[in-house]
Amino acid sequence: MMRNEIIGVIGCGGKVGHAACEYLIEKGYRVKGGQRNPAGFSHSCFQWVKTDIYDEASLQAFCRRCSLVINCAGPSCLIREKVAAASVKAGAKYVDTFGTFLIDNAYAQSIRNGVCVVSAGNVPGLSEILPCSLISEYFDEVDEIEVYAGGLDYPTFSSTADVLLSSLEGYGYAGSFYNCGEICSELADTSKRIKIWGFDEEVFAKPFIGSEFAALCKRKGVKKGYCYNTVVSKQLGEAMVNSCIELAAGRAGRSLEKCVEEINTQMELSLFGRKPGYTLVAAVTGSKSGKARTKRVSVKVKSSCEITGIVAGMVAAELAGKDIPCGIYYPFEITDAGKIMAKLLEYKNIFEYTSLDDADIADFEEGTL
């Protein structure tokens, strides 16, 4: 069934944008794709429009007649509010696969009269949607959430640059955990590999609380929340940390391009002998109807970029055509997390979902699983 809404996708030719376009077209939407070069995407419901995101007039022309615009281009930290502001000015809702910095008041001023959803990707995005769906279905009260996220995928310049730039701009809280409404320092030994249920091999895990994870904990009344970024290679982790330090210090000869190139090389070396993919594990402890319980779920995806585009498409499809108050939202605040998870389960070719209940967890922890 063809729908009336036109959804614009900036960065339609990239891995993330292509996945978003495919999802939306499959669901009957007309899609307008924007980027400088032809998208290499052909469908009767798809129209490519040459667009320069650094040219305000070009962006305005693209956003015209769109009911909603998804930004899949990057680096998000360089694009900043440009696409969001053009979307709001054109009267279109806005969805960003990252864009968490738009919550900052300095940027919020230019988009305060529109509907904007940020962090609508894999991590962040699915990393909050997954535990949110578990809480809604299985718990009345939540004592603790633990989330582990990490993997290896074929790197892109934009994704790696966003990790570096967001770190430099103070996104999130490294070495921290959520404790009854406060962000507290977590003393964790990050120098050793650890075994985590759901991951195929031992990993290095570093505590990191994103603003969206903290918002989820606050919204759901969580007492304690822990979130960890994981890597399989110590060299890769060190390359990320060293690049951030060198860029922050303005070390001569250390451009963003050079740092991204070195990190991506380390990522490709880490992929040797391994299959690309991304793992997300969420464990929730609390109670339902006064009875204590724990739920643990592992999600494995073959491509972080592809799942990011699909999640963005799902969020956009939920928002399109709805009357929503102006504001800046995270996906779990404005969509049905359980509904999104149910739809993702249909993508069995790229999405693997495993869950453990109380009895299963007890067996696992005793070493029988």
Side-chain angles (χ1 to χ4, degrees):
M1 180 184 72
M2 179 64 68
R3 302 174 187 268
N4 293 325
E5 295 92 356
I6 297 175
I7 295 181
V9 178
I10 292 289
C12 56
K15 293 179 182 179
V16 175
H18 188 274
C21 289
E22 280 194 331
Y23 176 83
L24 292 167
I25 289 171
E26 179 188 327
K27 299 304 176 185
Y29 290 96
R30 289 180 290 167
V31 175
K32 183 197 289 188
Q35 59 183 33
R36 282 192 293 265
N37 301 314
F41 190 96
S42 179
H43 194 281
S44 59
C45 294
F46 177 82
Q47 175 194 10
W48 169 68
V49 176
K50 185 173 183 177
T51 309
D52 183 351
I53 57 177
Y54 296 102
D55 181 277
E56 187 176 350
S58 178
L59 264 181
Q60 282 295 317
F62 174 82
C63 294
R64 233 172 265 130
R65 295 184 59 216
C66 289
S67 59
L68 185 148
V69 174
I70 306 175
N71 180 36
C72 297
S76 181
C77 289
L78 295 182
I79 295 171
R80 297 190 182 274
E81 80 286 3
K82 294 178 177 64
V83 183
S87 301
V88 170
K89 191 173 182 179
K93 299 183 183 76
Y94 178 73
V95 172
D96 201 312
T97 55
F98 188 55
T100 304
F101 55 85
L102 292 174
I103 298 291
D104 188 295
N105 288 332
Y107 301 111
Q109 293 301 313
S110 63
I111 57 175
R112 66 184 184 278
N113 295 321
V115 175
C116 299
V117 181
V118 299
S119 302
N122 180 29
V123 178
L126 184 57
S127 51
E128 288 72 44
I129 292 170
L130 174 59
C132 183
S133 69
L134 296 178
I135 293 169
S136 298
E137 184 173 358
Y138 298 105
F139 296 89
D140 295 325
E141 294 186 4
V142 180
D143 296 321
E144 184 176 298
I145 299 177
E146 260 191 313
V147 172
Y148 292 87
L152 289 169
D153 207 344
Y154 294 109
T156 66
F157 174 83
S158 293
S159 60
T160 303
D162 259 334
V163 172
L164 290 175
L165 293 173
S166 60
S167 299
L168 292 175
E169 295 203 358
Y171 161 68
Y173 310 91
S176 303
F177 73 103
Y178 179 92
N179 186 15
C180 298
E182 301 291 332
I183 304 298
C184 303
S185 296
E186 180 177 355
L187 300 176
D189 183 359
T190 61
S191 64
K192 298 177 181 178
R193 292 177 181 271
I194 59 173
K195 177 62 181 174
I196 303 167
W197 175 83
F199 283 77
D200 292 332
E201 61 183 297
E202 292 184 343
V203 296
F204 297 95
K206 294 191 175 184
F208 180 87
I209 299 294
S211 55
E212 49 283 300
F213 182 81
L216 170 66
C217 291
K218 184 177 181 179
R219 186 181 183 89
K220 293 297 185 180
V222 176
K223 294 173 184 175
K224 290 188 177 182
Y226 300 88
C227 192
Y228 300 89
N229 290 331
T230 70
V231 293
V232 296
S233 163
K234 189 173 184 178
Q235 290 78 11
L236 176 58
E238 289 174 347
M240 297 288 287
V241 172
N242 291 337
S243 290
C244 286
I245 293 172
E246 290 168 349
L247 286 172
R251 180 180 164 188
R254 298 297 290 169
S255 66
L256 175 64
E257 290 75 14
K258 184 68 175 176
C259 289
V260 168
E261 181 184 351
E262 290 183 3
I263 291 170
N264 286 353
T265 297
Q266 279 293 337
M267 199 173 296
E268 289 169 355
L269 289 172
S270 298
L271 271 167
F272 184 77
R274 296 183 175 98
K275 291 183 179 179
Y278 204 92
T279 301
L280 179 63
V281 171
V284 183
T285 301
S287 61
K288 178 82 169 182
S289 302
K291 184 179 179 181
R293 69 177 309 171
T294 298
K295 187 76 175 178
R296 187 177 295 177
V297 168
S298 165
V299 166
K300 294 182 180 180
V301 298
K302 291 184 178 179
S303 168
S304 178
C305 289
E306 187 171 359
I307 209 69
T308 292
I310 292 172
V311 169
M314 287 180 175
V315 171
E318 275 217 43
L319 300 184
K322 288 185 179 179
D323 187 15
I324 299 167
C326 293
I328 305 174
Y329 303 91
Y330 294 121
F332 66 84
E333 295 177 318
I334 201 169
T335 63
D336 185 331
K339 186 177 178 181
I340 289 179
M341 290 306 304
K343 289 179 179 179
L344 285 171
L345 287 174
E346 298 173 7
Y347 288 82
K348 298 184 185 300
N349 60 323
I350 63 166
F351 191 88
E352 180 184 327
Y353 183 97
T354 306
S355 67
L356 292 181
D357 290 305
D358 301 278
D360 299 324
I361 291 170
D363 288 341
F364 170 77
E365 290 175 345
E366 289 171 11
T368 57
L369 283 184

